[in-house]
Amino acid sequence: MLKVEGLWKTYTVDGGEIPAVRGVDFTVETGEFFTLLGPSGCGKSTTLRCIAGLEVPNSAEITLGEIDLFSSRQRRSVPIHKRNIGMVFQSYAIWPHMSVYDNVDFPLKVKGVPDRREKVMRALELVGLHHLEDRSATNLSGGQQQRVAIARAIVMDVDLLLFDEPLSNLDSKLRIQMRFELRQLQKQLGITSIYVTHDQEEAMVLSDRVAVMDDGNIVEIGKSQDIYLEPRKLFTAKFVGQSNLLLGEVVSADGANATVKTAIGQIAIETHKSTAPSEGFLMIRPEHIPMSWTKEDLPSADVNVFEGTIVSETFTGKLMDYRIRVGEVTFEVQTPLRHALQNENRVFIHLPPERCVMLPKDTSGIS
């Protein structure tokens, strides 16, 4: 559906050229929900704006279906108003002097579309605002304003829908609700969508695939579950979720199993892939580490069990967050309240081999 090749974009700052996007390549399949995830300043919004036509790339080949939206080779750039793309901004960007209906109707009116009412009411019904068509936009909640912006983006039957951090101005409870509604709407309509966010949980919930970005590059692309459970790059492991990282060296390997020498001793792992780096960082997520007062109570008492001391504990609402010292290494361990340990500093932790992932040291590798 969408193909982006060799996207470069630089900005002139104090007389010098600052690269915002450095040769980005990716494709988005028809009907896919694809997310660009990364920290502020990594180039994700610039990439989105280049696709929309709001920014002019220094060089790129951007194709939507059979249409070359931008081509350095052909020296072609389709104007913004001729790209059949809808966009939802972080700031809502709705007109406060217009009613809900008029906001959604506006792009149809500008293009001279006849018989517009049916299209407008269908879009409003899809976002649950058909009963508020006559209300002034200034009398809407933040969530309702964002729904108006989404209705306005989909009313034109676009080929591609772009979202630039659309939920970041909403409170946490409303964000969770809007995530669900947005995903359901995208599935219902089957519109190919690209979503930009720095919120890792948002990316995991919404996306079919995620592209993790850093410093103008795509670090890696994968399904949400793979990005979280089996990252291929150290940056991804650090940025997406929380992780415990141990320097290690593979000292033996047999098929899908390997043994890694670390500062706390040897750790058995399942490599998940045909090969694992011979040295690098062993990663395990805090919520994947069982712990207990006694070694015998752990799921597997004969492998990867280590005695430690609780350094601190924090109540987070759903979980207890522990810092546990094993030798010279401190692990973060998260456990449900019903499994929380009390009045005892000495504990045992288990590192399940299937949850341990070996990552290369090199943080500059770009996929």
Side-chain angles (χ1 to χ4, degrees):
M1 182 61 178
L2 177 76
K3 189 173 185 179
V4 177
E5 294 180 285
L7 173 59
W8 280 85
K9 176 62 182 176
T10 62
Y11 294 102
T12 302
V13 179
D14 297 329
E17 293 294 317
I18 304 297
V21 182
R22 307 166 184 259
V24 160
D25 302 302
F26 64 90
T27 59
V28 182
E29 302 299 330
T30 301
E32 186 177 25
F33 201 114
F34 186 87
T35 294
L36 299 173
L37 171 67
S40 297
C42 71
K44 56 189 185 295
S45 288
T46 300
T47 300
L48 199 75
R49 291 172 65 85
C50 287
I51 294 168
L54 297 170
E55 298 281 359
V56 179
N58 294 77
S59 63
E61 303 296 321
I62 304 175
T63 306
L64 181 61
E66 300 298 322
I67 301 171
D68 293 322
L69 297 181
F70 185 93
S71 174
S72 299
R73 291 192 293 262
Q74 299 179 25
R75 297 184 180 180
R76 171 183 171 81
S77 180
V78 175
I80 298 174
H81 65 280
K82 291 187 178 181
R83 301 186 185 200
N84 194 27
I85 295 174
M87 188 162 183
V88 181
F89 298 90
Q90 178 180 347
S91 61
Y92 313 147
I94 62 175
W95 290 279
H97 64 285
M98 292 185 182
S99 67
V100 169
Y101 180 93
D102 290 337
N103 263 280
V104 179
D105 178 55
F106 187 77
L108 297 173
K109 185 177 180 181
V110 168
K111 292 200 172 186
V113 177
D115 304 320
R116 303 192 302 271
R117 181 166 181 80
E118 183 179 345
K119 287 179 175 289
V120 173
M121 293 308 297
R122 177 176 177 270
L124 287 174
E125 187 169 356
L126 284 169
V127 299
L129 292 180
H130 55 286
H131 61 296
L132 299 178
E133 60 171 303
D134 296 323
R135 180 172 293 186
S136 170
T138 55
N139 294 327
L140 299 175
S141 67
Q144 289 171 332
Q145 290 184 51
Q146 194 57 282
R147 287 186 178 92
V148 172
I150 293 170
R152 189 180 57 197
I154 65 176
V155 75
M156 291 294 296
D157 296 323
V158 294
D159 294 324
L160 180 66
L161 197 53
L162 307 178
F163 296 91
D164 192 2
E165 305 207 47
L167 306 183
S168 60
N169 289 335
L170 305 179
D171 63 67
S172 59
K173 193 168 184 179
L174 186 55
R175 286 181 75 166
I176 293 173
Q177 178 186 338
M178 285 295 295
R179 282 178 203 163
F180 174 77
E181 293 181 3
L182 189 57
R183 185 56 169 142
Q184 291 300 109
L185 178 63
Q186 192 270 340
K187 284 184 176 180
Q188 182 179 347
L189 297 176
I191 298 178
T192 308
S193 303
I194 303 179
Y195 194 94
V196 160
T197 185
H198 63 272
D199 187 312
Q200 301 124 49
E201 185 175 330
E202 201 164 277
M204 297 296 107
V205 170
L206 287 168
S207 313
D208 294 311
R209 285 190 303 145
V210 176
V212 180
M213 293 190 69
D214 180 46
D215 195 25
N217 294 296
I218 289 181
V219 178
E220 66 175 288
I221 298 175
K223 294 181 179 179
S224 299
Q225 187 170 333
D226 294 337
I227 287 290
Y228 187 80
L229 296 177
E230 298 180 29
R232 292 183 289 114
K233 302 293 184 181
L234 185 59
F235 176 83
T236 305
K238 288 181 175 180
F239 182 75
V240 180
Q242 296 166 279
S243 58
N244 295 289
L245 295 166
L246 275 171
L247 270 172
E249 178 185 356
V250 174
V251 292
S252 67
D254 179 17
N257 301 303
T259 301
V260 181
K261 181 182 177 182
T262 73
I264 63 171
Q266 293 193 345
I267 298 175
I269 70 170
E270 294 180 8
T271 61
H272 304 278
K273 307 175 185 69
S274 57
T275 59
S278 59
E279 61 178 359
F281 287 89
L282 187 148
M283 182 209 81
I284 185 167
R285 302 289 186 186
E287 67 273 21
H288 293 157
I289 303 177
M291 68 181 196
S292 177
W293 281 307
T294 60
K295 184 176 181 180
E296 291 72 25
D297 289 338
L298 290 169
S300 178
D302 58 345
V303 63
N304 295 358
V305 174
F306 300 92
E307 184 177 347
T309 304
I310 295 177
V311 177
S312 67
E313 57 184 73
T314 305
F315 172 69
T316 65
K318 294 180 181 179
L319 302 168
M320 287 296 294
D321 194 324
Y322 291 95
R323 296 294 188 276
I324 298 176
R325 191 80 171 170
V326 178
E328 298 300 315
V329 178
T330 300
F331 286 87
E332 180 181 3
V333 177
Q334 294 175 345
T335 186
L337 295 181
R338 66 181 183 277
H339 295 151
L341 307 180
Q342 296 180 6
N343 302 321
E344 182 67 57
N345 285 334
R346 176 178 168 274
V347 294
F348 292 88
I349 64 171
H350 172 54
L351 309 181
E354 69 275 12
R355 295 297 191 182
C356 296
V357 179
M358 195 66 182
L359 301 168
K361 278 186 180 180
D362 183 17
T363 61
S364 63
I366 303 302
S367 65

